[in-house]
């Protein structure tokens, strides 16, 4: 597979340090991390180092989103599925589903245990139907009904969130389906995923607001469509490592996830 298409993360079992890797032909080389990774530093408390690595792959779906996580036990979680095949005349052989399948093969995955659909925009939910036709998928997780509706009296366009959501509901009808709220948790193998934002709500914890959190201007920055602030945001835990992925949540929701608590970011740590 092309080196630019798939890249991932491993944790060195001796040092606990993360190594970002990219396949070039049959070799793996290091790459700088594109995600926010947080690691606790508590004086006097050694960091737990998992014996086997968590494998994390970010799939290049040309501006959309698709992240695959595979635990040492072989359990898999995919967050978002990118674009639909053939969108805007794109080569179907380079579709989001094709690229995701390349990642699953590279990691020896023949089933996706959890598919988390963060929100119903074309570059996140568009590839779901294509993917479901190509690999077994267990539970599908989302934030609940679409919230981005057309203007009163107007019919949604084929790529509007309302139309995409209707097609998505049909595609996942035969699959176990779970709607999540902030504070809920998904546990699979040695990976724990905390839901910190969903449907415009955030995980609330005690503590003072971080710098800028009370800035009234945040509400006026625009959101690119109501489904963006409704997106699911997660913090994944693996040993001492935390991985933050907030999809397309907007600044006002993101700041709500970052209240200061004992000197570190609140719900996102």
């Amino acid at each position: 597979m092309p080196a630019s298409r798939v890249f991932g993360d491993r944790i060195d079992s001796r040092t606990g340090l993360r190594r970002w890797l990219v396949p070039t032909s049959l070799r793996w080389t290091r790459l700088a991390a594109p995600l926010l990774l947080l690691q606790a530093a508590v004086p006097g408390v050694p960091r737990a180092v998992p014996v086997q690595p968590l494998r994390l792959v970010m799939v290049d779906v040309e501006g959309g989103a698709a992240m695959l996580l595979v635990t040492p036990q072989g359990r898999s979680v995919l967050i978002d599925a990118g674009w639909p095949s053939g969108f805007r005349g794109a080569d179907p052989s380079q579709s989001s589903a094709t690229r995701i399948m390349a990642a699953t093969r590279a990691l020896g995955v023949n089933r996706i245990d959890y598919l988390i659909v963060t929100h119903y925009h074309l570059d996140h939910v568009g590839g779901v139907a294509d993917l479901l036709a190509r690999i077994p998928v267990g539970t599908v997780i989302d934030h609940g009904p679409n919230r981005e509706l057309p203007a009163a009296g107007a019919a949604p366009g084929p790529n509007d969130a309302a139309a995409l959501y209707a097609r998505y509901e049909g595609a996942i009808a035969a699959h176990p389906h779970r709607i999540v709220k902030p504070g809920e948790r998904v546990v699979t193998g040695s990976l724990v995923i905390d839901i910190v934002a969903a449907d415009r709500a955030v995980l609330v914890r005690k503590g003072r607001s971080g710098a800028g959190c009370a800035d009234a201007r945040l509400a006026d920055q625009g959101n690119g469509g109501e489904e963006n602030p409704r997106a699911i945001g997660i913090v994944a835990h693996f040993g001492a490592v935390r991985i933050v992925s907030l999809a397309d949540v907007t600044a006002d929701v993101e700041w709500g996830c970052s209240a200061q608590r004992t000197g570190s970011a609140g719900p996102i740590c």
Side-chain angles (χ1 to χ4, degrees):
M1 71 194 73
S4 63
R5 299 306 184 201
V6 180
F7 51 91
D9 173 47
R10 286 182 179 173
I11 301 168
D12 190 303
S13 60
R14 297 166 301 169
T15 66
L17 298 177
R18 293 167 298 283
R19 292 181 178 178
W20 281 85
L21 308 167
V22 57
T24 57
S25 183
L26 297 179
R27 299 184 300 106
W28 290 90
T29 57
R30 297 182 185 181
L31 186 70
L35 285 178
L36 174 59
L37 300 176
L38 305 175
Q39 188 158 356
V42 181
V45 178
R47 294 170 177 168
V49 178
V51 175
Q52 298 295 324
L54 172 72
R55 293 174 294 169
L56 187 160
V57 173
M58 291 295 296
V59 183
D60 180 357
V61 290
E62 302 293 351
M67 179 169 72
L68 178 65
L69 302 101
V70 182
T71 74
Q73 300 82 14
R75 303 285 290 176
S76 58
V77 178
L78 178 69
I79 302 178
D80 286 329
W83 303 86
S85 178
F87 179 65
R88 290 179 179 168
D91 182 355
S93 70
Q94 291 297 320
S95 70
S96 295
T98 297
R99 296 180 182 189
I100 293 167
M101 290 303 299
T104 63
R105 288 192 297 271
L107 299 186
V109 171
N110 55 25
R111 168 188 166 88
I112 294 171
D113 295 298
Y114 290 95
L115 170 61
I116 299 176
V117 177
T118 62
H119 61 297
Y120 311 122
H121 282 166
L122 192 64
D123 54 337
H124 294 258
V125 72
V128 167
D130 298 332
L131 187 70
L132 294 179
R134 301 180 68 169
I135 189 170
V137 172
T139 301
V140 179
I141 294 173
D142 58 46
H143 71 66
N146 167 58
R147 307 297 190 184
E148 189 175 318
L149 303 176
N159 294 324
D160 289 346
L164 292 168
Y165 179 67
R167 297 200 295 271
Y168 163 76
E169 282 192 298
I172 69 168
H175 294 264
H177 178 212
R178 177 179 170 186
I179 297 173
V180 293
K181 302 299 180 187
E184 295 187 27
R185 174 170 282 185
V186 177
V187 180
T188 183
S190 49
L191 180 67
V192 177
I193 297 176
D194 285 331
I195 308 299
V196 298
D199 202 18
R200 252 196 195 277
V202 299
L203 181 61
V204 177
R205 289 182 177 171
K206 294 181 180 179
R208 59 187 177 83
S209 296
C213 289
D215 190 336
R217 292 174 297 175
L218 293 176
D220 301 323
Q221 292 182 350
N223 62 19
E226 182 58 27
E227 272 298 300
N228 281 338
R230 303 281 178 172
I232 292 174
I234 65 103
V235 176
H237 304 261
F238 180 74
V241 175
R242 290 183 296 275
I243 303 165
V244 178
S245 179
L246 299 178
D248 287 348
V249 298
T250 47
D252 53 329
V253 177
E254 187 173 313
W255 293 166
C257 290
S258 58
Q260 296 292 314
R261 189 167 71 102
T262 63
S264 61
I268 63 168
C269 78

